[in-house]
Amino acid sequence: MKSKISKERIEKNQSYMKLFTSICVIVLYFIWPYFVNSILSLLGIKEPLSVYLTLAADFILMIVIISIYFDGLRNDFIKLKKNFKKFFILGGKIFILGFIVYTIVSSVFIFIVPEATNANTNSLLNIFDKSPMMLIIIAIFYYPIIEELVFKKTFKDVLTNKWFFIITTAIINASFEVVLSYQNIYNLVNIIPTAVFYGMLSYIYYETDNIFVSMGYRMIYNLIPFLLALLNVAIIIF
């Protein structure tokens, strides 16, 4: 009887610890940019140096969050090596189906509300004009890692219901992306198709129970525009 009570107490303490860790990671992710910008402003550092220092600070944040989840990430990496083919095929099926649904939903909303431009995409293109290499680093490496950890890993540790986890993480991630790049009321329409995309990644994570799979497919998705751009350049040259 005592051992059963002790076990339940340990499990409850572990649940509280996971919740506390998740809250700390989310809060840290949201306050970090303001902290960095305040330091740069206080020191009077302007562009272009401030842009590179901000990128460096972002990667420091990513390293900190990775260190917090290091044990879990190490276990996921071991499982990924053992089940790579299985995870790749399962994730690929979900990714293709989800991408088709996302494309259809996006097309419908663009047709209905053409004013709902993707401000986040426009801001990334502005970065590309200043530094193509920086955009590649941010889009292909930084965001897939940091956002999958913050918007999926943190919630999966505390949300046990499959569809509640998928819907919650999809809406929160989409809302954060759209609201952060808010330009006009029409932009808010993008929350729905964007939530479909992030819901697909959450579904991949839940089904494989491996954060590296959802990270990998998000990297692949972000890599596609660069590959198409390189193909266009090659066609023009040859």
Side-chain angles (χ1 to χ4, degrees):
M1 186 68 178
K2 288 184 178 180
S3 61
K4 183 179 180 180
I5 296 175
S6 178
K7 184 178 180 181
E8 290 177 351
R9 185 176 297 173
I10 291 173
E11 290 177 350
K12 185 178 290 187
N13 290 337
Q14 289 176 342
S15 298
Y16 288 145
M17 182 57 66
K18 286 181 179 179
L19 178 60
F20 176 74
T21 301
S22 296
I23 292 173
C24 288
V25 168
I26 293 171
V27 170
L28 178 62
Y29 178 73
F30 280 104
I31 68 172
W32 185 258
Y34 298 102
F35 171 73
V36 173
N37 289 334
S38 298
I39 296 297
L40 294 177
S41 298
L42 185 64
L43 297 176
I45 299 175
K46 307 292 184 181
E47 290 188 7
L49 180 58
S50 63
V51 176
Y52 294 105
L53 290 177
T54 300
L55 179 62
D58 287 340
F59 272 86
I60 291 173
L61 172 64
M62 186 178 72
I63 292 171
V64 170
I65 294 177
I66 288 175
S67 66
I68 291 173
Y69 289 123
F70 182 77
D71 290 338
L73 292 173
R74 181 177 57 188
N75 293 333
D76 277 5
F77 185 73
I78 293 172
K79 288 192 295 184
L80 180 67
K81 291 195 297 181
K82 293 180 179 179
N83 304 280
F84 181 81
K85 184 178 180 180
K86 174 185 174 182
F87 288 162
F88 181 79
I89 294 174
L90 177 58
K93 291 178 180 178
I94 299 171
F95 179 81
I96 293 171
L97 180 60
F99 181 75
I100 293 172
V101 175
Y102 165 69
T103 303
I104 294 172
V105 173
S106 296
S107 300
V108 170
F109 275 89
I110 290 174
F111 178 77
I112 297 174
V113 190
E115 298 88 352
T117 56
N118 193 327
N120 186 60
T121 300
N122 293 336
S123 64
L124 288 177
L125 290 175
N126 291 333
I127 297 176
F128 183 80
D129 291 336
K130 297 178 181 179
S131 176
M133 184 56 65
M134 182 176 292
L135 177 60
I136 293 173
I137 293 173
I138 291 174
I140 298 178
F141 294 103
Y142 178 73
Y143 280 127
I145 295 174
I146 193 74
E147 290 199 357
E148 291 303 292
L149 290 174
V150 172
F151 292 106
K152 292 181 178 54
K153 175 69 176 171
T154 55
F155 287 93
K156 193 170 185 298
D157 284 345
V158 295
L159 300 180
T160 56
N161 183 273
K162 175 181 178 178
W163 291 108
F164 186 63
F165 162 75
I166 293 171
I167 294 171
T168 300
T169 53
I171 293 175
I172 291 177
N173 200 165
S175 300
F176 172 76
E177 179 176 305
V178 174
V179 172
L180 187 66
S181 55
Y182 177 85
Q183 290 182 341
N184 56 65
I185 192 67
Y186 297 107
N187 292 146
L188 299 179
V189 174
N190 287 315
I191 290 177
I192 298 175
T194 304
V196 172
F197 174 76
Y198 287 125
M200 173 263 293
L201 292 174
S202 296
Y203 191 82
I204 290 175
Y205 180 28
Y206 193 93
E207 289 298 312
T208 61
D209 194 28
N210 197 295
I211 193 66
F212 288 109
V213 183
S214 60
M215 282 182 186
Y217 275 102
R218 183 165 176 177
M219 288 179 180
I220 291 172
Y221 173 80
N222 289 353
L223 184 62
I224 292 174
F226 295 102
L227 296 178
L228 292 176
L230 290 175
L231 180 60
N232 289 332
V233 171
I235 292 172
I236 292 173
I237 293 175
F238 297 104

